[in-house]
Amino acid sequence: MADPELQLSEPLGEKHSTVCYMCACRCGINVYLKPGANGEKSVRYIEGNRDHPVNQGVLCAKGSAGIMQHYSPARLNAPMRRVGPRGSGEFEEISWEEALQQAVDWMEPLKQDPKKLAFFTGRDQSQSLTSWWAQQFGTPNYAAHGGFCSVNMAAAGIYTIGGAFWEFGSPDWDRTKLFVMFGVAEDHDSNPIKMGIGKLKKNGGRFVSVNPVRTGYSAVADNWLGIRPGTDGLLILSVIHELFRMQKIDVDYLIRYSNAPFLVIDAPGTADHGMLARDKNGVELVWDAAKKKAVPHTTKGVVPHLTSEVTLPKKVKAKPVLMMMAEEYSKPEYAPEAVAAETGIAAETIRGLAAEIAKVAFEEEITIEQEWVDMKGEKHDRFIGRPVSMHAMRGISAHSNGFQTCRALHVLQVLIGSIDCPGGFRCKPSYPKPYTAHPKPHATNVKGTTGPLAGPHLGYPHGPEDLALDKDGHPLRIDKAYTWDAPLSAHGMMHMVIANAHAGDPYKIDTLFMYMANMAWNSSMNTRGVIDMLTDKDENGEYKIPHIIYSDAYNSEMVSYADLILPDTTYLERHDCISLLDRPCSEPEAVVDSIRWPVVEPNRDVRGFQSVVLDLGARLGLPGMVNEDGSPRFADYADYIVNHERKPGIGPLAGYRGKDGSQSGRGEPNPNQLERYKENGSFSITHLPEEALFFKHANKAYQDFAVDMGFYDSPQPSIFNLYSDVMQKFRLAAEGHGDIQPPDRLRDRLKLTFNPLPTWYAPFEEERLGDRTDKEFPYHALTQRPAAMYHSWGSQNAWLRQIHTKNPLYVPSAICDEKGLEDGDWAWVTSWHGKIKVQIARMEAVNDRTMWTWNAIGKRRGAWNLDENAPEATKGFLLNHLINELLPPKGDGYRWSNSDPITGQAAWYDLRVNIEKAPPEAEVSEPVVQPQKKRTKPTDELRYGLEWTK
Amino acid sequence: MTSLPQSTNKKLGLVIDLDTCVGCHACVINCKEWNTSGYGTALSDQDPYGANPTGAWLNRIHTFEVVPDKPKGQGVGEVIGTAGEARVVHFPKSCLHCEDAPCVTVCPTGASYKRSEDGIVLVDEDKCIGCGLCAWSCAYGAREMDLAAGVMKKCTLCVDRIYNEELQEVDRQPACVRTCPAGARHFGDFADPNSNVSLLVAERGGFDLMPEQDNKPVNKYLPPRPRSDLGEGADLGAAHTEESTEGASGLLGWIDRALSPSSKQKEAN
Amino acid sequence: MHPALSVISFTTLSGAGYGLAFVLATGHGNPGALSTKIAWFVALALITIGFLSSTLHLGNPQRAWRAVSQWKSSWLSREGCMCFISYVPLCLLAGMSIFYNSFDLTLGYIGAICCAITVYCTAMIYASLRTIASWHTGWTPAFYLAFALTGGTLIYVGFFGPPTGSRSTEIWIYLCMVFLVCSWAVKYGWSHRAERVGYGKSTMESATGLGNIGKVRLLERPHAMGNYLTNEMAFRIGRKHAQKLNRIALLLGLVLPLILLALALQIASVAAFFTIVAALSFMAGVFVDRWLFFATARHAVGLYYGGDDALMPAE
Ligand SMILES: Nc1nc2c(c(=O)[nH]1)N[C@H]1C(S)=C(S)[C@@H](COP(=O)(O)OP(=O)(O)OC[C@H]3O[C@@H](n4cnc5c(=O)[nH]c(N)nc54)[C@H](O)[C@@H]3O)O[C@H]1N2
Ligand SMILES: Nc1nc2c(c(=O)[nH]1)N[C@H]1C(S)=C(S)[C@@H](COP(=O)(O)OP(=O)(O)OC[C@H]3O[C@@H](n4cnc5c(=O)[nH]c(N)nc54)[C@H](O)[C@@H]3O)O[C@H]1N2
Ligand code: SF4
Ligand code: SF4
Ligand code: SF4
Ligand code: SF4
Ligand code: SF4
Ligand SMILES: [Mo]
C-alpha cells in the first residue's frame, strides 16, 4: 500500500512582525493570523523574526507561548473599582470615563503638593514616557523596578566603564575564546546569550560558569565553579592578585584607556586625601617621568609613570592608581589559598582560572585589520583583541556587597584589556556613556514646590552634593533613594516605597500609582508584611496608603490590593516603543530600536497604559501633554511616539526620521514613521561604520557617529575608572569632610563600603547575625529564573505552567544526608525572619551549603484565575517570605535596610537559612495566604487551534 | 502499512547536542505551538487552569544529574567538570523515527506507518482507534495520546513544515530546530553521509538511545564534550611559581622594565 | 504499567471464556444437556463481555473494526482477527448444542485450536513488547494459556460438570487441582524471572547515553505534573503493597481453591458448591494477579522518569 497523501503546504495566514514582550529581551517576532472559529482573526503561530538583530529567528519558550498569554483567561476586561476590602479581589467594572475621572479626582489636588503622588512603574519598557510624565507632574517620587533588580550591575558598570552587562553590552560572541559567566540563570539578554553559548561551543571556545548551582547555562559550561554565595568579590580579587603576580595585565591598554596612571593624593586626614589630583580645569594629572612633573593626562605624547610615589607641588604626595592597586591586591589576603575556604573554591582552581584568563588574553590575541583613529588623534592599523569575555548578573549584584563585586569584575576586564575589543566584552550603542555624560538625579521642582521637576529623577551623583536631601538633610523622595542610606541609588528604590508610605517616613503620601509590578507578591521581600501594610488602616479606619491606582493586564496578586484598576492590553494589542532614550536593544555593531503595534485589536474594554497615561496627563493639564487651548497634545501613544521631541530632532524612535524618513538618530518627526517601522519588521537598524566597531569609548569615528545619532551633543569618550573618587568623596564625608554630612550611625559603614578600589566585605545579613549565622542559619538559599517562566506572569499560561506547576526546594545531597531528608519530603525552612514549609528535592550539582528554588512559581490562591487548589498555590512557594527588607535589628533603634549600602539594591541573595524535616502532616506549602476572588471560570479543556486542523 | 518499508530513500531525523542544550524548553513550546494547529488534531490540554494541568506534547525536556562514579583522576569514568563534580544534562526527547519502529508494527489498524519516502513515522489519525499499544511499544516515550480526540499524537518531524511550499526555503525545517536558541538541534538526512547531520554524528560520536532495544533510532544524540581543567596547558611559567614574596614590587618592577624607553626601543627594533 | 480495569477484565474474562469453550469444544459435556447449553452460552458471553470491555479503553471505539487489518505484523490485530475467526466454530458448536443437541468433533478441534490461538495472541500482545522486559518472554503466553485452561476447567466442573458424586467428577476435581498447581507453577516461573529482569538490558545510563560520565539520576521532570506517559507507563506500586497483593492472589487463586476442591472430594453432597466457590475464588485470584501483572511491570520509558527511584505515580 502506498503511504497516505498528505496536504503539506497549509498557508499560515497573514504575517505581522512586531516585538515579543514575554520578557524584556525584546526579540522580533512574526505573528501569523488566521480567521478563528468565531470568525475573529486569531493567532495561528508566533515565530522568531529571522531578520531581527536581537534574536535572528530564534524564539524562547516564553515567546513561543505568547498565544496562551494573549488568550489568558486571567486577562482583565474593563476598568474596575474596588468594592470589597483591599486584598479580597472584589471589584465592580466601570467605564473608562468613570475610571479616568476617579484618577483625576485623586491626583488633581496633589498638583499643589506633587510629592504626595508616588508613581512607580515596575517592568516598564516606556520609562522615557513615564518618567517624563512624573517629571511634568512635579513629583520626585518616580522610579521603575531597577532598585530591586540589578542596579548594582548597572551603576557599577556606568561608574567604571560607562557601560554595563545586562542589555547594555555583550560578549563578542563571534570571536571570544574564553567566556566567564558569574551568577546568571537567564538574564534579560535571554536569547542572545543562548545563541552566543551555541556559537562559542561551535567555535571551540571555553565556557566557565561561576555559580552555586549547575543548571541551565552552567550545565553546559566546560568548567563550573560552585561558589559560596556572596563571595564572588573575593574570587575576582584573587584572580586579580594572580594576574598581578603573573605580571599578566595589559599595561598599554591601561595607560591609554583607564585611570591607572592618574595620581591619587596621599594626604591622610585632609579633604583631598584619596582624591585624584587635578589641574585647575579639573583635568586629572599623571606623572611625566621625563619632565619629572605632573601634567594633565591629556597632554600629547606623555609617557606616564606608574610605579612609584611622586611629590606634587606643595609637597603633596601622590601615587599612581596602578601602583595603589598593585599594593592592595598583592596582599596575601587575596592569595588563592587565603580565599579558598570563604569562597568554597579550591586554590588550584582559582589559579587555573587566572592562568586560563591570562593565557587566552595574552597568548591568543586576535587582530582585525582595520584602520581607526582614537580620540587623541592617534592612528591605529588594527583592532587588537583579547578574546576573553565576561558576563554577570544578579548572582553577583543581588548581594549587599554587590556594587563592589560588580566593580571588581569590570576592573578585572579592564586589567586584561578586554573592554570593547575584538573577542572581549562589547558595549551596545548608545553605550558606552560615562557617568559624567548621564544626568544627575533631580528631586526638586523648577520653581518653588509645584510644577515640573527640574530634571529627570534618576541619574548618577558625582558626590554628596547631588543627593536628594533637603537642606535639613531629610530625604526628598519617598523611597529615600539618593540619601546616605544608598547614595548612588541610580534606579530608585521601588522596594522601599510601600514600607515607607505605610510608615509615613519620610512623609505621608496620598496616592500610590503603580504599573506592571506585582508588589503584593513576588517582587516584594517579606510578602506577608507588605500585604499587611497595603491593608493596614489608621485610627480613623482609613487605609494608611489612602489611594492605590494600578495598571495590570492580568488578574495578578497586586490587582486585589488596588482601589482603581486601569486594565492594560496584552502586548499584541498595543503600541510600544523600545527606545534609545530608555533601555536600548542595540547590538554591538548596530543601533537598533523597535516598536510594538496592535497586530490584533483588543476585544475587551482595555486600553494601552501609555495612551492612558497621556490621557491622564492631558486631563491634569500637565505641560507638554496639552496644547495651548488645553486640548490633548497627543491623540494616543502612537501619536506621541512619532511626534514627541525630547530635544529638537530627537524623539522616542531613532529610525526613519525626517520628513521623508531618510534620517537616523536626529531629524524632524516623520508622520509615516510607524508605517516605515512596520515595513521593516517593526525595527530600525543603523550600522556602525567599520572603523567605529571597537574601542568605542575612545574611538573617534564612533564618538562622531554617536554625536550624529544624537546620543550626546559632543563626544563623550570614557576613561575606565579603576579607581573611583566619586566613592572617595562619600568616604571623605563620612570622615567629617565637607558640608553635607551623613548621620553618625552611617559613618563607619560608609568608610568600609565606599572603597574607591573594589573591595570585598561579608554580606550584611551574615555579618549582622554574627555567631548565629553558623549556629542557627548555616545555609544559603537562593532563587533562579526558570528559562520558561517570566516572574509571575507565566503561571496563567496554559502551556508554560505545565512545565513549572510547582517548585521544590533543591537541597544539596550533603544537607539531605545530614538532615535525613529524601526526595519529596516536606521540610521547614527558617530564616531569622520567618519560616516556610516546602517540598524538597535532592541535588548533587550544587554548592554544598546552598539550597535553591525557581523564582516566583508560588501563587496566591485564586490569583491569575487559577483554581484555588492549583499546585502553584498548594505546593509552590515563595522564598520571599523568608527575606526581609530590613536587616536583623541591631538594637540601635534604626531600621537598617537589607540592601547594598551604595546603590540600595535589594540583597535578595544574602539570605541565610536552616532546614528541618517537617513532621508528617498535610502536604501543603506554608504560609497559606487567604484566597483572592477569581474573575471568571476558565475552561477545563483546551484544544487550541482545532479549527485549523483537519 | 503496518509493516515497515524495506528501506527508505531518505532517513530524515534530528541530531540533538547534549553539550549545547541549556534546557530552555523553547523547542517544547514551539513544537506545541506549531503542531496544535498543524498536522492532525489539536494537542489538547486537560484542566489547563486547574489543580492538575496536563496535556499532549510531542517533545519534552528531561533534566538528569550525572554523578561521576570515580573521583577525578581515578580511572574509567570520563571526568567532566572542574573537580569531577556532578553534572546536569538537559535532555530533549521527541520521536526518534526508528528504522525498526515497533510502534508501527504493533499498530492493529495501520494508522501508524513509516513513510517509505523519507522514513518519517506518522500516525494517520483517521484510522487510529486510540488503543495506545504503539505508545506501549515505544521505549522512548515519544507517543502521547491526545485525551480529547482519543488519537495517538507524536512528533511528525514537522512534515507540514519541511515540505511546505508556503514557507520560505530556509524555514522548511522543524519548528523545534528553527526556534532552538542555542542551536542544539539539527535536522537533516542521515542517508546522505555528507549531510550536516551525518557529519556531526561522525565528528562528535553521535549515539543511539537504548541501542539494546533494537529499534535502530534515526535521531542521534551528541555526547557532552570532554572537559579539561582550567589553565591546563597554560605555559605561563610564572603561573606555576610559588607565591612570590616580592608582592607589588615584582609587578611594578616588571612594568617599569616594560615601559622603560630602552625596552620600548628594543621592541621597536 | 497502569492497571486499567478494562484491560484486566478483558484478559481475565475472555481467558476464562476461551478456557471454558476449549473444554466444551474438546467434546466434554453432553450437547443435549441444559447445563452444556448454558455453558456454551456462558463461554461466549464471557468472551464477548471481555472483548467489549477491551474497547472501553479505546480512544475511538467506533473505529475498532479497523483493528483487524494488520494481522501480518500486529499481535493485537491478530488477536482481533482470531476473536472473529473463533466465533465461527464456537458459535456453530454452541448452536449445534443449543438448537440441535449435537456436537461435531472435527469442528470441536478446530474451535479448541482457535481458542488456544486467541489466548496465545492476547498474551503475545504483551509478550511482544521489548519495552517491558518482564512481559517479553515465552512465560507470558504460557501462563496466560495455563490460567485460561484452569479457569475454564474450574468453571466447567463447578457449574456444568457431571453430576455430583460421580467418579468422573472426582477425576475432574483432581484434574482441576493439577491444573491449578501447574498454572501457578508456570506463573511462578514468570514471576521469578520478572523479579530479576527489572528493566531488562536498559538502564538510565543506556537510556540517556550518559553512562560513560557516571551514574544517572533524574533531577527534574519535563513537566511538573504527571502526563499520559507517566500515568500509563510509569505506574509502579510499592514493593510492600505488591507483596501483600501477591499473597492475596495466591491465596484466592491457589490455596483457597485447593482447599475447597479437597473439601469437595470429601463432602460429595456439596462438592458442586465448593467447586463453584473454588472457580470464583480462582477467578478473583487471577484478577488480582493480572492487576499486578500490569502494576508491577516496568516500562523502559520509566527510565526517563527516574526509574525505580522516582516517586510514582506522580500525584
Ligand atoms: N525571591 C526573589 N524575589 C524576587 C527576585 C528574586 O530573584 N528572588 N527578583 C526580583 C526582581 S530582579 C524583579 S525584576 C522582580 C520582578 O517582579 P515583578 O516586577 O513584580 O514582575 P512580575 O511578576 O512579572 O509582575 C509584573 C506585573 O506586570 C503585569 N503585566 C504583565 N504584562 C503586562 C502588561 O502588558 N501590561 C501591564 N500593565 N501589566 C502587565 C503582570 O501581570 C504582573 O502583575 O522580582 C523580584 N523578586
Ligand atoms: N526566563 C526568564 N528570564 C528573565 C526573567 C524571568 O523571570 N524569567 N527575569 C528577568 C529579570 S527581571 C532579571 S533581573 C534577570 C535576572 O537574570 P539572572 O541574573 O540570570 O537571574 P537570577 O535567576 O536571579 O540568577 C541569579 C543566578 O545567580 C546565581 N547566584 C546566586 N547567588 C550567587 C552568588 O553569590 N554568586 C554567583 N556567582 N552566583 C550566584 C543563582 O544560582 C542564579 O543562577 O532575568 C531576566 N530574564
Ligand atoms: S527572550 Fe523570549 S520572551 Fe524574551 S523577548 Fe525574546 S522571545 Fe520573548
Ligand atoms: S530549545 Fe534547544 S537548548 Fe532549549 S531545550 Fe530545546 S534543544 Fe535544548
Ligand atoms: S521513537 Fe518511539 S514512536 Fe518514534 S519511531 Fe521509535 S518507537 Fe516509534
Ligand atoms: S493508538 Fe492508534 S496508532 Fe497507536 S497502535 Fe493504536 S491504532 Fe495504532
Ligand atoms: S520535529 Fe516538529 S513535531 Fe517533532 S519535536 Fe520538533 S517541532 Fe515537534
Ligand atoms: Mo529584575
Side-chain angles (χ1 to χ4, degrees), chain A residues 20 22-23 25-27 59-60 62-63 190-191:
Chain A
C20 183
M22 297 291 287
C23 87
C25 186
R26 301 161 294 181
C27 301
L59 196 68
C60 82
K62 294 159 286 147
S190 175
N191 278 330

Side-chain angles (χ1 to χ4, degrees), chain A residues 23 62 123 145 149-150 182-188 190 210-213 227-232 393-396 399 782-791 855 909:
Chain A
C23 87
K62 294 159 286 147
R123 319 211 48 71
H145 74 281
C149 180
S150 224
F182 291 79
V184 180
E186 262 298 305
D187 199 359
H188 298 91
S190 175
V210 181
N211 197 315
V213 192
I227 196 164
R228 188 170 76 80
T231 64
D232 299 72
M393 247 314 258
R394 294 184 64 261
I396 63 170
H399 290 284
L782 307 171
T783 57
Q784 293 203 97
R785 304 283 186 273
M789 282 276 174
Y790 197 59
H791 298 288
N855 188 42
Y909 296 157

Side-chain angles (χ1 to χ4, degrees), chain C residues 106-125:
Chain C
T106 318
L107 195 57
Y109 281 141
I110 293 173
I113 290 168
C114 281
C115 289
I117 295 178
T118 312
V119 173
Y120 179 76
C121 288
T122 308
M124 282 309 289
I125 297 173

